[in-house]
Amino acid sequence: MSTYVPQTGILRGPDRASQPIPCDGNETLVQDIDTCEWAGNVGWVLIALNKLRNSGLHTDTIALDNAIDRGAAWLIGQLGRNAAYPNLISLGIEGNISAYFGLRAAGRLQEASLLGSAIFRFGWDAVQRRMKSGVLPADVASAMDVSGSWGSTFLRAIGKTQEALDAQAYAASILRVNSFDATRYGYGDIAGPYTPAVEFSAQAAAAGIHDADFVLQQISSLQIPSTASYAGAFPGALDHWYGGPLSPWNTTMAGVSPTAWVYFAQYRDPLIDLLRPALSLSISPATVRTGATVTLSARVIPGTTPASGDVYIALQAPGCTANFCKTLFWLGALNFVKTVQPLLDSWPISPFAGPIFSYTFNGSEPTGTYRWLGAFVEPGTPLNLISDITQPSFEFRP
């Protein structure tokens, strides 16, 4: 759901746009679907669920995979709503871009490619060299997300590097701004360059916009101190502003989005992560008894540019301490070695999903928690990661 409303003490979905009936997920009219389930939200949930899958922290990997597959299928089912704009979902570019990255996160690369081509076809302004806020002739507003941050990263993802630079240059020129008292500098957004918007300044910085380091220094000092309410959070903007094309928009209230995007800007942009190859391992079941078989499965999502990498998969046995873990590197079948060795050398990273290892416990194995580790690294350089490390675990109880 795009939002929830309270009713007799419980939360339910919003009412449909066409009539005062609560959304139930079976809407067919586009205006109802956009009111009930916004495509961009679904895209971002898929990005988050993929992060969870890659981390190996969620034990019910089958349910997680099914949730991601169903979410991707819903997005794919929304493609081509409007016959005048084939392969797009919404008439707004932001929702399409979020859906594109959601499909990439879900491993639906073919559908993501179709959507990406349509976004560029209908959303790129070849005269002003930037992404428009929407596909209609009237959609000419300048927006940071579609030009200076998410849109720029999207253009990189589809191989439009020069267009990505041009779009960020446009956003950096049009949306740079200072606070009302001229003490802080940053970037605004679609409301206009009236006052620095923390969320959108941080999004732009995370995507590598001009003066990103300076902008982050400007907004980092706005973090709410430990002695105040909402300690650690960030405000939405430096000043209240109730004007511009979207009213109201800028507010000094603390919010989740500005706080999250400052964190991402200081750590790592989740969208840029989706430009890199990803390897995720999953284990079933999460708890194994004597006589039961544990199965290790792998899923590979290539990056946006062709790449080769050494594949490392290792198993850590129970008994890890703060200073030591017995780590065995897997070489295929039941072959494990103590020395650092790759499973595959210079493998052309390509889509894959399926089981790669299984073992039936006979009861003689050490009890406790086992952890698998997996990653892609640059060929011949075990320390130069080109993917995150995936590390699911399972427990053996005799």
Side-chain angles (χ1 to χ4, degrees), residues 39 76 79 93 103 156 174 202 231 251 260 293 299 326 333 349 384:
I76 292 166
L79 293 173
I93 292 298
L103 290 175
R156 290 176 55 190
I174 297 296
T251 174
T293 299
R299 182 184 297 266
K326 182 180 180 181
I349 299 173
N384 293 339

Side-chain angles (χ1 to χ4, degrees), residues 297-381:
S297 297
R299 182 184 297 266
V300 177
I301 302 176
T304 55
T305 57
S308 296
D310 292 346
V311 183
Y312 283 83
I313 297 179
L315 177 65
Q316 290 181 338
C320 285
T321 66
N323 299 316
F324 173 77
C325 259
K326 182 180 180 181
T327 302
L328 302 173
F329 289 82
W330 182 51
L331 302 182
L334 294 178
N335 300 315
F336 292 85
V337 295
K338 297 180 180 178
T339 56
V340 179
Q341 294 186 43
L343 170 66
L344 298 171
D345 293 307
S346 298
W347 181 61
I349 299 173
S350 54
F352 176 85
I356 58 174
F357 174 83
S358 63
Y359 178 79
T360 301
F361 280 75
N362 59 34
S364 65
E365 300 84 358
T367 61
T369 299
Y370 291 76
R371 184 177 302 277
W372 286 93
L373 306 171
F376 295 127
V377 305
E378 292 182 7
T381 58

Side-chain angles (χ1 to χ4, degrees), residues 16-292:
R16 303 182 186 191
S18 62
Q19 52 187 319
I21 297 176
C23 302
D24 60 9
N26 297 309
E27 294 73 35
T28 57
L29 298 177
V30 170
Q31 64 265 37
D32 287 341
I33 295 171
D34 284 345
T35 299
C36 299
E37 306 95 14
W38 175 235
N41 292 349
V42 179
W44 275 99
V45 171
L46 288 175
I47 294 168
L49 292 179
N50 180 62
K51 278 279 192 183
L52 180 61
R53 177 166 63 186
N54 290 345
S55 73
L57 295 174
H58 192 71
T59 56
D60 193 345
T61 55
I62 294 176
L64 183 55
D65 285 346
N66 288 339
I68 293 173
D69 290 341
R70 290 196 304 271
W74 184 86
L75 280 178
I76 292 166
Q78 305 305 311
L79 293 173
R81 289 177 176 178
N82 190 318
Y85 302 97
N87 293 325
L88 281 186
I89 296 177
S90 70
L91 299 180
I93 292 298
E94 180 274 322
N96 287 298
I97 289 176
S98 298
Y100 167 84
F101 282 111
L103 290 175
R104 279 204 60 84
R108 304 301 294 265
L109 304 183
Q110 181 177 356
E111 294 86 351
S113 178
L114 289 173
L115 178 56
S117 296
I119 294 171
F120 185 75
R121 175 186 174 189
F122 297 111
W124 175 249
D125 185 334
V127 176
Q128 294 187 328
R129 306 290 297 173
R130 51 95 179 216
M131 294 297 294
K132 299 187 297 181
S133 59
V135 300
L136 299 177
D139 295 329
V140 294
S142 300
M144 178 60 80
D145 52 8
V146 297
S147 286
S149 57
W150 304 351
S152 179
T153 304
F154 161 75
L155 290 167
R156 290 176 55 190
I158 64 171
K160 303 291 185 180
T161 303
Q162 186 58 54
E163 287 83 351
L165 293 170
D166 292 346
Q168 277 203 332
Y170 173 90
S173 300
I174 297 296
L175 295 173
R176 64 174 61 204
V177 66
N178 56 262
S179 58
F180 289 178
D181 62 6
T183 61
R184 295 288 193 280
Y185 297 85
Y187 290 108
D189 191 59
I190 199 168
Y194 303 116
T195 185
V198 173
E199 174 184 352
F200 302 106
S201 292
Q203 285 177 5
I209 202 168
H210 184 62
D211 288 333
D213 185 61
F214 172 76
V215 169
L216 270 183
Q217 292 178 35
Q218 293 286 295
I219 63 178
S220 290
S221 62
L222 301 175
Q223 188 171 33
I224 298 172
S226 59
T227 55
S229 299
Y230 309 111
F234 281 83
L238 277 82
D239 306 286
H240 284 293
W241 174 254
Y242 298 97
L246 292 180
S247 175
W249 189 261
N250 293 322
T251 174
T252 59
M253 294 188 299
V256 172
S257 291
T259 306
W261 275 102
V262 173
Y263 169 80
F264 290 143
Q266 293 178 340
Y267 175 57
R268 195 165 63 205
D269 187 332
L271 296 185
I272 290 179
D273 270 356
L274 294 172
L275 308 187
R276 307 165 62 203
L279 167 65
S280 61
L281 301 176
S282 59
I283 300 171
S284 181
T287 302
V288 185
R289 302 284 185 177
T290 299

